[in-house]
Amino acid sequence: MTDYQTIRKLIHRLREADTKWQVTAQREMAERYREVLPEPVWQRLRSNHFNHAELELLDLVAAAGKRGIAYQEVQAEVLYSQSLVSRYTNRLAELGLLVKEHPEYDQKAYQLTVTPAGERMAVLHAESHRQESKFFDQRLTRWSPEEVATTIAVLKSLTREK
């Protein structure tokens, strides 16, 4: 087996391990969401195939607290297109996870705030990321700092374009 084939095989195994972790974590989080969300919200989330980008957008709005955040600020903060941000905010509002309101001073703009259910979702999403970090940090404790640094350097090198 060539070095290239070995690298490809190892990257494939890494992807499989990451996918397995993601699937397991998603199942666990879905059950936790079910425990804290009203049943109608849970059913809508389950049937609508909620995605991670929507969770990140919800987190951003939740971080703004009770005062909320302007739609334009959300747009500037995320890496998604305007059409995706619009689609995601509309969907989150339809699911009852955030509220879109026009500020009194500008009927064209929107102010976004999370609902109590949206806030619970954001908290659970943050918890899932903490669990994921803990899982991978535990795996990396078996490595020396030099091995971690070398691995990072190699992966960066493999992803650089000429």
Side-chain angles (χ1 to χ4, degrees):
M1 186 176 293
T2 67
D3 288 343
Y4 172 73
Q5 290 170 322
T6 301
I7 290 169
R8 279 188 53 130
K9 183 177 179 180
L10 291 170
I11 289 172
H12 179 75
R13 287 176 58 195
L14 183 60
R15 281 188 192 136
E16 285 178 338
D18 186 53
T19 300
K20 182 178 177 182
W21 160 255
Q22 292 297 331
V23 168
T24 302
Q26 286 171 0
R27 277 194 204 120
E28 289 175 10
M29 291 312 296
E31 286 309 310
R32 292 186 69 196
Y33 290 149
R34 186 174 198 157
E35 292 170 8
V36 300
L37 294 174
E39 186 64 24
V41 173
W42 158 249
Q43 290 298 333
R44 283 184 284 168
L45 289 174
R46 195 170 68 117
S47 64
N48 284 315
H49 308 288
F50 203 58
N51 69 45
H52 192 258
E54 290 167 311
L55 281 170
E56 289 179 338
L57 204 145
L58 187 63
D59 288 347
L60 182 59
V61 176
K66 300 248 185 252
R67 67 175 174 77
I69 187 171
Y71 176 86
Q72 290 80 9
E73 288 180 59
V74 170
Q75 179 80 38
E77 193 71 29
V78 298
L79 299 175
Y80 316 122
S81 68
Q82 189 275 328
S83 63
L84 272 180
V85 173
S86 178
R87 186 178 320 149
Y88 292 162
T89 55
N90 287 335
R91 191 162 149 180
L92 291 166
E94 289 168 9
L95 290 168
L97 299 172
L98 65 80
V99 176
K100 289 173 57 176
E101 295 177 312
H102 293 290
E104 290 180 17
Y105 58 87
D106 187 352
Q107 290 300 301
K108 290 183 180 182
Y110 283 105
Q111 187 76 6
L112 306 173
T113 55
V114 293
T115 64
E119 194 169 333
R120 289 190 295 270
M121 286 283 293
V123 167
L124 287 172
H125 180 239
E127 176 61 26
S128 73
H129 278 285
R130 280 191 294 278
Q131 288 177 355
E132 181 180 31
S133 291
K134 183 178 175 184
F135 173 80
F136 286 107
D137 286 347
Q138 286 173 344
R139 289 189 144 192
L140 289 177
T141 59
R142 295 181 267 185
W143 294 16
S144 71
E146 294 78 20
E147 289 172 316
V148 171
T150 300
T151 301
I152 290 170
V154 168
L155 291 173
K156 282 181 177 179
S157 175
L158 287 172
T159 58
R160 261 189 238 126
E161 293 184 24
K162 289 185 179 186

